[in-house]
Amino acid sequence: MNVLLIGSGGREHALAWKIAASPVLQKLYCAPGNPGIAQEAECVDLDVSDHRAVVTFCAEQEVSLVVVGPEAPLVAGIADALHDAGIPVFGPTAAAAQLEGSKGFTKDLCDRYNIPTGAYMRFNNAPKAKAYARETGAPIVIKADGLAAGKGVTVAMTLEEAFAAIEDCFEGAFGEAGAEVVVEEFLEGEEASFFCICDGTNALPLTTAQDHKPVGDGDTGPNTGGMGAYSPAPVMTDKLVEETMERIIKPTLRGMADRGTPFTGVLYAGLMITASGPQLIEYNVRFGDPECQVLMMRLKDDILMLMKAAADELLWTMSARWIDEAALCVVMATKGYPGSYEKGSKIQNLEAASALHDVEIFHAGTKRDGDDIVANGGRVLGVTALGDTVKAAHDQAYMAVDLIDWPEGFCRRDIGWRAIAREK
């Protein structure tokens, strides 16, 4: 198979690394890719927002499957254009991608199909949103309805924080994503990430993972796109997995099919494990980043065949197996992230760090400058390791982190702390 992978982040590097290991792969292309992905694929200069250009490239290179990594091209309808051209694609249509593209859409679907989630209201103006927040009281959650690159959610512990978040949305802090706001109940519990590969009718559950969103140790500071992750997540017992499938995933697939917008691709459920069971916080329509890194490290089976089966609506013929070891990913970010930061700082000693046993370094925000690798984003590297326990994976990952010479970078030092505490 010739495969085109779309994206340029750490998630796409992890996917490229795993796809490249498939015995059925003939040629892997990636648009636009990054220096890490270039070790696994031929990076091509292709404007993925130009759907006609993508279709033309696939026809010329006899691409058998397109794998879409990020959410924005999916919400923009790239899968629709590929479907119309008869090119198999792993990823949802624009209508199905509303599960991530509109938080209000997802909450309404939950309401209609009795999927457990926090109470909510949708607003298109600040005064009414503030009045509802005042009536409900803090803590409360404020969400920009649309795509905001992981930055449109505020867990407000006071009404002042809630009002400020509402004003940010309606004053354009998140562009069009904040034109509508969802104000929802604050849920108490422990978060977990749950992934399924879907073919429109069937859902194949993948292993569990947990990420760390806040920028600082001890889960302090502003939320980010993710500062690290580990798999498996001990909080997700077999019983909770079964309950999540029956009460959340299956009703969602039925609901989407009922609407005439069946969901194909990866369905990523952000869950809160509460005293009354799992509740849905939000859906994403792609692999998480950095959860994808730990999932790909633990997957025994051929990810390319799983994706092709989903695209061909043959997922019922497949299974997914996982190695017993734990995987843990530490995100190294540029100082200043998630606020303002400078690009262009040199990163050295990556070869020595990646030479450690059971360590893979996935590139996210990097670019090549002559012979150097330099930082080109906020989250820059995903240093990922395997170990017999989460603690062992943690120690191996941080050993690699400490070998990397990048004074302008930083990371959290406590990734996996909840699981490590349970192991003790």
Side-chain angles (χ1 to χ4, degrees):
M1 293 172 61
N2 294 335
V3 176
L4 172 63
L5 172 63
I6 290 175
S8 63
R11 165 185 49 232
E12 287 77 35
H13 188 184
L15 290 172
W17 174 76
K18 193 67 178 175
I19 291 169
S22 172
V24 300
L25 178 73
Q26 179 168 311
K27 178 79 174 181
L28 177 59
Y29 300 96
C30 187
N34 66 39
I37 294 172
Q39 300 169 33
E40 312 289 351
E42 180 182 327
C43 294
V44 292
D45 185 16
L46 188 60
D47 179 3
V48 298
S49 67
D50 184 345
H51 296 170
R52 182 176 295 178
V54 174
V55 167
T56 300
F57 176 86
C58 291
E60 290 175 348
Q61 304 303 325
E62 297 180 347
V63 167
S64 311
L65 181 69
V66 178
V67 177
V68 186
E71 64 277 16
L74 293 167
V75 172
I78 193 166
D80 304 72
L82 291 162
H83 282 306
D84 290 346
I87 298 165
V89 56
F90 181 75
T93 61
Q98 287 184 90
L99 284 171
E100 180 168 0
S102 168
K103 295 176 180 66
F105 171 88
T106 296
K107 298 295 278 191
D108 289 350
L109 187 84
C110 289
D111 187 48
R112 180 173 179 182
Y113 290 92
N114 200 29
I115 296 166
T117 189
Y120 76 102
M121 289 289 284
R122 301 173 67 170
F123 298 96
N124 60 13
N125 68 81
K128 289 183 179 179
K130 288 181 179 180
Y132 178 74
R134 187 179 295 109
E135 179 187 329
T136 305
I140 195 165
V141 181
I142 312 301
K143 295 180 177 180
D145 179 71
L147 295 181
K151 297 181 177 67
V153 177
T154 299
V155 180
M157 303 311 290
T158 66
L159 282 178
E160 289 73 20
E161 286 180 66
F163 295 162
I166 290 167
E167 287 169 7
D168 280 349
C169 288
F170 287 118
E171 289 175 3
F174 308 109
E176 291 182 10
E180 185 172 307
V181 166
V182 176
V183 181
E184 67 178 62
E185 176 187 5
F186 172 81
L187 297 174
E188 290 271 7
E190 185 171 342
E191 287 191 47
S193 304
F194 187 75
F195 298 85
C196 291
I197 291 179
C198 306
D199 68 358
T201 305
N202 304 289
L204 176 65
L206 304 181
T207 190
T208 58
Q210 192 167 47
D211 76 336
H212 296 262
K213 282 282 192 286
V215 73
D217 285 8
D219 291 328
T220 57
N223 270 354
T224 70
M227 293 301 294
Y230 59 92
S231 172
V235 68
M236 285 297 288
T237 62
D238 290 346
K239 181 176 181 296
L240 281 173
V241 168
E242 183 180 349
E243 191 175 348
T244 299
M245 289 297 295
E246 294 301 321
R247 298 186 62 201
I248 297 175
I249 302 297
K250 290 181 180 179
T252 297
L253 284 190
R254 284 197 299 271
M256 294 301 284
D258 288 349
R259 294 183 72 259
T261 56
F263 184 89
T264 299
V266 174
L267 190 57
Y268 163 6
L271 304 174
M272 185 67 77
I273 310 305
T274 70
S276 60
Q279 295 205 45
L280 182 70
I281 301 172
E282 64 179 7
Y283 273 131
N284 294 324
V285 299
R286 33 73 187 181
F287 283 105
D289 184 351
E291 293 98 331
C292 186
Q293 289 85 314
V294 293
L295 294 180
M296 292 304 104
M297 287 285 278
R298 293 190 60 226
L299 179 62
K300 275 185 179 181
D301 291 301
D302 185 343
I303 188 65
L304 183 52
M305 293 305 294
L306 292 175
M307 292 172 164
K308 188 67 165 66
D312 293 343
E313 300 181 21
L314 292 171
L315 198 57
W316 60 273
T317 66
M318 307 299 286
S319 62
R321 299 169 300 161
W322 307 90
I323 64 172
D324 293 333
E325 286 91 342
L328 184 138
C329 176
V330 179
V331 169
M332 297 188 73
T334 306
K335 287 178 180 176
Y337 175 81
S340 60
Y341 54 84
E342 292 188 5
K343 298 181 180 181
S345 53
K346 187 191 297 187
I347 306 167
Q348 300 182 87
N349 220 28
L350 288 171
E351 297 81 4
S354 59
L356 290 179
H357 180 63
D358 281 340
V359 168
E360 294 290 338
I361 298 176
F362 297 113
H363 291 228
T366 66
K367 74 173 184 179
R368 188 168 288 283
D369 182 8
D371 292 334
D372 296 327
I373 297 294
V374 300
N376 193 44
R379 294 187 302 156
V380 174
L381 299 170
V383 182
T384 310
L386 295 173
D388 290 337
T389 62
V390 174
K391 177 65 165 65
H394 166 281
D395 292 350
Q396 192 73 351
Y398 281 104
M399 189 183 303
V401 165
D402 291 337
L403 285 174
I404 295 170
D405 180 9
W406 181 31
E408 295 81 5
F410 78 99
C411 66
R412 281 183 57 166
R413 302 295 305 191
D414 64 344
I415 301 302
W417 66 267
R418 287 188 183 88
I420 291 168
R422 281 189 170 93
E423 289 173 352
K424 289 179 180 176

